[in-house]
Amino acid sequence: MKKQIRNIILMFMAAVMLSGCFGSNQMFNRMNKWNGTINNKYARSAVHFAFWIIPVYIVSLAGDILVLNVIEFWGGKNPMAMNDGESETEEIEYAGKIYEVTATNKGFTVKDKETDEQKVVAYSTSAGSWTIVELAQENH
């Protein structure tokens, strides 16, 4: 058991040192920012402590350090650090169909290239979940 813990710590330290950057820690910062939206200071404090004990904060920080900050260093951009007005579009193939996926900081638009049907998927901060908010047919 001690060897496994030691190996995990060594891998964690190697990932941090090999990434060569501090990183923006966007996932951890978003979790912390969300916690700040809780109006009751006692509830906010309880959630803060619970997120450290449950290890929500630890997992989000590890995800930042081991994945997102490394992507940010090598690719130049953290996938979670998109600003208003920015978007990225890629075509993907799934189940024999080609889709155009456009990502923004508000959500994703998935367009079937064959039928022009679109599904807009957005994150609702009030509900705390991802939902399909619109189905549309593009007119030419």
Side-chain angles (χ1 to χ4, degrees):
M1 181 69 169
K2 286 182 182 181
K3 269 189 173 181
Q4 289 176 334
I5 292 172
R6 184 194 64 175
N7 289 340
I8 290 170
I9 291 171
L10 288 173
M11 287 184 344
F12 181 75
M13 288 172 52
V16 171
M17 289 187 290
L18 292 175
S19 71
C21 73
F22 177 73
S24 57
N25 297 321
Q26 287 292 319
M27 186 180 345
F28 176 79
N29 291 337
R30 285 186 183 188
M31 293 294 299
N32 205 22
K33 184 177 178 183
W34 173 84
N35 188 22
T37 64
I38 299 172
N39 291 330
N40 183 301
K41 68 180 180 180
Y42 300 108
R44 184 173 51 244
S45 182
V47 169
H48 179 76
F49 285 119
F51 276 12
W52 281 111
I53 293 168
I54 296 173
V56 173
Y57 280 149
I58 293 167
V59 170
S60 67
L61 191 56
D64 272 328
I65 292 169
L66 298 174
V67 180
L68 297 174
N69 289 347
V70 175
I71 291 171
E72 182 177 4
F73 175 75
W74 290 105
K77 186 170 185 172
N78 187 314
M80 293 189 71
M82 200 172 275
N83 295 318
D84 285 337
E86 291 182 338
S87 68
E88 291 184 23
T89 302
E90 288 191 31
E91 286 190 359
I92 61 168
E93 184 179 344
Y94 177 75
K97 288 185 154 191
I98 296 177
Y99 297 93
E100 181 180 88
V101 180
T102 303
T104 68
N105 68 339
K106 305 280 190 237
F108 300 89
T109 302
V110 181
K111 177 182 171 184
D112 184 329
K113 295 288 282 185
E114 188 176 302
T115 65
D116 282 342
E117 181 183 357
Q118 293 187 69
K119 294 183 180 180
V120 178
V121 184
Y123 184 77
S124 168
T125 54
S126 60
S129 63
W130 289 91
T131 57
I132 296 176
V133 294
E134 176 182 337
L135 293 174
Q137 186 92 20
E138 210 173 79
N139 295 326
H140 295 286

